[in-house]
Amino acid sequence: MDRPRPFPTVAIIGLGTMGTGIAEVVARAGHEVVGIEIDDAAAQRAVAALESSTARAVQRERITESERGDILARFRTFPDLQASADADLVIEVVTEHFEIKREVLTALDAIVKPGAVLATGTNALSVTELASHTSRPDRVVGLHFFAPAPAMKLVEVVSTVLTSPETTDAVTELVRSFGKQPVAVGDRPGFIADGLLFGYLNQAAAMYEARYATREDIDAAMRLGCGLPMGPLALLDLIGIDTAQTVLEAMYEASRDRLHAPAPVLKQLTAAGLKGRKTGRGFYTYEAPGSATVVPDAETPAEAAGAGGGRPVRSVGVAGSGTMATGIAEVFAKAGYEVVLAARGQEKADKAVAALAKSLDRSVAKGRLGPEQRDAAVARVTAAGSLDAFADVDLAVEAVAEDLPVKQQLFATLDKVCKPGAVLATTTSSLPVVAIATATTRPRDVIGMHFFNPAPAMKLVEVVCTVLTAEDVRATVHEVCGRIRKHAVDCGDRAGFIVNALLFPYLNNAVKMVQEHYATVEDIDSAMKLGGGYPMGPFELLDVVGLDVSLAIEQVLHKEFRDPGLAPAPLLEHLVSAGCLGRKTGRGFREYARR
């Protein structure tokens, strides 16, 4: 015999995009759904959306026509809160303003039956404070779904100090019955996913506002450098810039962390009515309000007119023998360049070339490369035990230890060895390029080319110009990136460039959440993968990158920007001091089997 369905009737207050999505999830799970929306047009759109999505499900043979009919029959819309009187659970997803939500919950408290549970869909406001305005604070929770609700697996279940364990358990079980992953969180603005996400989005908006990089380059950098499904500015447009401002205001009110203080551009765009996709314009311009199609505007980069303008590059020197140097040499060799791979001693250079050949063998085994292409690429690489072999290269790329004196000494040597007009590039991810450039007598020829690991697979290269870099050097590197099939993004010479400047404060904030016992490592990783679409959770990524490397980058960012919010989390410092550096030592935020 089937167990009684918990919360047989669920009322959804507000049938915007999120409310409609939640209604679909609940109706598909077999519950009677009372949709309440004062705007008749919005209510009709919600019904049409459910009809359309269930029709697609039938076409894809995920449900039968009979099941579709049952789902549609379970969804009814009404214009008045009185329709929720018999509901067992009421979920409000009205406008993200405290007074509006308070009024709705207070009215519902007087309408629904005594045992009913009230849930707020807020992601920024205090659930505790909202609950305190009802006569049933023990039966008030937060239910934070993620858009689009039918597709996204995460639901944050927010308990307050007043919520009864029975209420939390019942709602958590309900979420599981939807096929969703519930994550238990306490009541603080942003909870887990948005608490980490919106700080990152805010920093991206500030980066754009400072004209440090274009909107296109910021978004491309985070998509290609971190594997994110969307760039931060495009995501702000999707979420709604006004919504982002509201969330950040609430987060700043609670934390007083300057990283959460909304970037002025968010307020300006909101005040101008440029709220993102829903208004047809935000950071980008869209075909129409509600459209996802971006159309050109005054900020859209002009098409490269016939390219050119750079220096000719036929041969490339790569300095270093580690994983990054070997990967970069492989990229250039596969693209048809003659490559000199120089290391400290002939034996190290020969080993690096052997590692390169093995990497190409793996590509052949996976069908990504033909045997002839592999042989041709290996034949283009010459191993050298000294930088003297760079005498005739057109582009010299260093990929040695991330240590400023080491790089400065190497560039002083390149300055003497390389021919006039050769472009000298550093792959540093955190050091000032200008400090490396001024170790030479030709700083105009020096530029940053920040590849990402593994270089053969990762499509992004951050192109870092200093105040001294010549324009034709920048043009040269862009042309080279095109030939090696990498996406080049321009950024200035400041700590972290684009990717690390946005990524590592987010990782640091995740560590602070664990340090403050707000959430577990597992829940935070699940929240960011399921709620944010991240390929890895922050702690998985920290353990892969190395906690020592992560700490060093955090220290560089803190030193350059002097923002207290960028100070490395003490927990990260303690783990590094204890030798827990991540996968490479067998223990970081998790423990790993020794190889």
Side-chain angles (χ1 to χ4, degrees):
M1 184 176 175
D2 292 339
R3 287 194 308 167
R5 189 181 302 279
F7 305 113
T9 301
V10 178
I12 313 291
I13 315 300
L15 294 177
T17 302
M18 181 58 77
T20 300
I22 295 172
E24 178 176 340
V25 169
V26 179
R28 279 175 176 253
H31 301 260
E32 295 293 323
V33 179
V34 176
I36 297 175
E37 173 58 63
I38 59 173
D39 181 347
D40 185 57
Q44 290 180 28
R45 284 195 297 271
V47 172
L50 184 59
E51 289 175 345
S52 177
S53 65
T54 51
R56 287 195 301 272
V58 170
Q59 288 178 340
R60 294 167 184 171
E61 299 183 345
R62 293 175 180 169
I63 59 174
T64 65
E65 188 62 54
S66 174
E67 289 170 330
R68 176 180 185 247
D70 291 341
I71 292 169
L72 294 176
R74 286 194 289 268
F75 180 47
R76 295 161 295 149
T77 65
F78 300 88
D80 191 274
L81 290 179
Q82 288 294 335
S84 66
D86 294 325
D88 305 287
L89 169 68
V90 183
I91 306 172
E92 70 76 15
V93 275
V94 298
T95 307
E96 190 74 354
H97 288 291
F98 182 83
E99 287 304 318
I100 295 175
K101 288 185 180 289
R102 182 190 63 77
E103 287 178 13
V104 168
L105 287 171
T106 302
L108 288 168
D109 186 38
I111 293 170
V112 300
K113 56 193 179 185
V117 171
L118 301 179
T120 172
T122 184
N123 62 349
L125 303 174
S126 169
V127 179
T128 306
E129 194 171 350
L130 289 169
S132 70
H133 287 276
T134 73
S135 64
R136 62 184 85 203
D138 59 321
R139 290 192 298 283
V140 177
V141 295
L143 269 183
H144 182 209
F145 287 78
F146 290 76
M152 300 298 280
K153 292 294 184 184
L154 180 71
V155 179
E156 291 176 319
V157 180
V158 189
S159 300
T160 75
V161 292
L162 304 171
T163 308
S164 70
E166 294 79 12
T167 297
T168 301
D169 291 346
V171 171
T172 301
E173 185 59 34
L174 175 71
V175 170
R176 285 200 184 95
S177 75
F178 295 156
K180 304 294 186 184
Q181 175 67 52
V183 172
V185 296
D187 183 22
R188 82 179 202 183
F191 313 129
I192 295 177
D194 285 355
L196 294 177
L197 177 66
F198 278 89
Y200 149 71
L201 296 177
N202 193 40
Q203 293 304 105
M207 184 179 279
Y208 164 81
E209 185 173 22
R211 293 293 184 258
Y212 174 68
T214 67
R215 61 190 182 184
E216 287 83 4
D217 280 355
I218 291 170
D219 279 354
M222 298 313 292
R223 284 189 293 103
L224 300 175
C226 295
L228 300 182
M230 292 183 76
L233 302 179
L235 182 54
L236 278 164
D237 276 356
L238 175 62
I239 292 168
I241 293 167
D242 55 334
T243 301
Q245 185 189 352
T246 300
V247 173
L248 286 163
E249 290 283 10
M251 289 173 63
Y252 179 70
E253 187 67 28
S255 70
R256 294 297 169 183
D257 185 337
R258 280 167 48 194
L259 297 181
H260 297 153
V265 69
L266 299 176
K267 184 176 182 179
Q268 293 158 12
L269 289 170
T270 298
L274 308 178
K275 300 176 183 179
R277 285 192 190 180
K278 58 189 174 187
T279 61
R281 187 176 163 196
F283 286 98
Y284 295 89
T285 300
Y286 299 87
E287 196 171 50
S291 170
T293 304
V294 176
V295 296
D297 59 21
E299 289 190 46
T300 303
E303 292 290 332
R311 304 176 187 181
V313 176
R314 298 177 185 84
S315 59
V316 177
V318 179
S321 56
T323 303
M324 184 57 79
T326 304
I328 292 170
E330 177 184 329
V331 167
F332 281 110
K334 284 195 295 190
Y337 288 101
E338 294 297 321
V339 179
V340 178
L341 181 54
R344 289 181 297 175
Q346 190 64 45
E347 185 179 354
K348 278 194 170 184
D350 289 339
K351 283 184 178 178
V353 172
L356 183 155
K358 281 186 179 179
S359 175
L360 291 171
D361 286 341
R362 289 193 293 271
S363 294
V364 171
K366 293 174 181 176
R368 296 172 182 167
L369 203 67
E372 301 82 5
Q373 294 169 305
R374 178 221 26 224
D375 294 344
V378 172
R380 293 189 193 103
V381 183
T382 302
S386 164
L387 290 175
D388 291 339
F390 283 11
D392 292 321
V393 301
D394 302 303
L395 168 64
V397 181
E398 71 77 15
V400 299
E402 191 73 350
D403 182 281
L404 185 57
V406 169
K407 290 185 187 287
Q408 287 173 323
Q409 184 178 2
L410 185 145
F411 269 76
T413 302
L414 292 176
D415 189 29
K416 296 172 184 174
V417 169
C418 294
K419 64 187 180 183
V423 173
L424 311 181
T426 171
T427 62
T428 183
S429 62
S430 60
L431 300 172
V433 177
V434 72
I436 297 168
T438 51
T440 74
T441 61
R442 47 172 131 176
R444 286 173 52 81
D445 294 341
V446 179
I447 196 167
M449 282 186 80
H450 180 210
F451 287 80
F452 287 74
N453 194 27
M458 298 296 281
K459 293 294 184 185
L460 183 70
V461 175
E462 289 178 320
V463 178
V464 188
C465 292
T466 76
V467 292
L468 302 172
T469 305
E471 176 56 32
D472 68 335
V473 169
R474 173 189 169 278
T476 300
V477 169
H478 271 265
E479 289 169 15
V480 167
C481 285
R483 184 169 168 186
I484 62 176
R485 296 186 175 182
K486 301 295 183 187
H487 186 104
V489 297
D490 286 307
C491 53
D493 183 19
R494 74 179 199 189
F497 310 136
I498 296 175
V499 173
N500 286 349
L502 296 178
L503 174 65
F504 281 88
Y506 149 77
L507 296 175
N508 196 46
N509 284 335
V511 178
K512 291 177 183 176
M513 276 190 178
V514 169
Q515 179 181 288
E516 295 163 5
H517 305 289
Y518 176 67
T520 66
V521 164
E522 289 72 23
D523 279 351
I524 293 172
D525 276 355
S526 292
M528 296 316 296
K529 288 190 290 185
L530 298 176
Y534 282 53
M536 299 178 77
F539 296 102
E540 290 175 305
L541 184 55
L542 281 161
D543 280 354
V544 168
V545 171
L547 272 58
D548 52 338
V549 174
S550 302
L551 176 59
I553 293 172
E554 279 296 335
Q555 289 169 332
V556 168
L557 291 171
H558 185 224
K559 182 179 179 181
E560 173 137 335
F561 297 110
R562 311 294 176 92
D563 191 317
L566 294 174
L571 176 58
L572 181 61
E573 294 177 318
H574 295 164
L575 287 168
V576 172
S577 297
C580 302
L581 308 182
R583 287 191 182 180
K584 58 189 174 186
T585 61
R587 183 178 174 189
F589 284 97
R590 292 183 172 87
E591 291 191 19
Y592 302 88
R594 295 276 187 174
R595 291 184 178 180

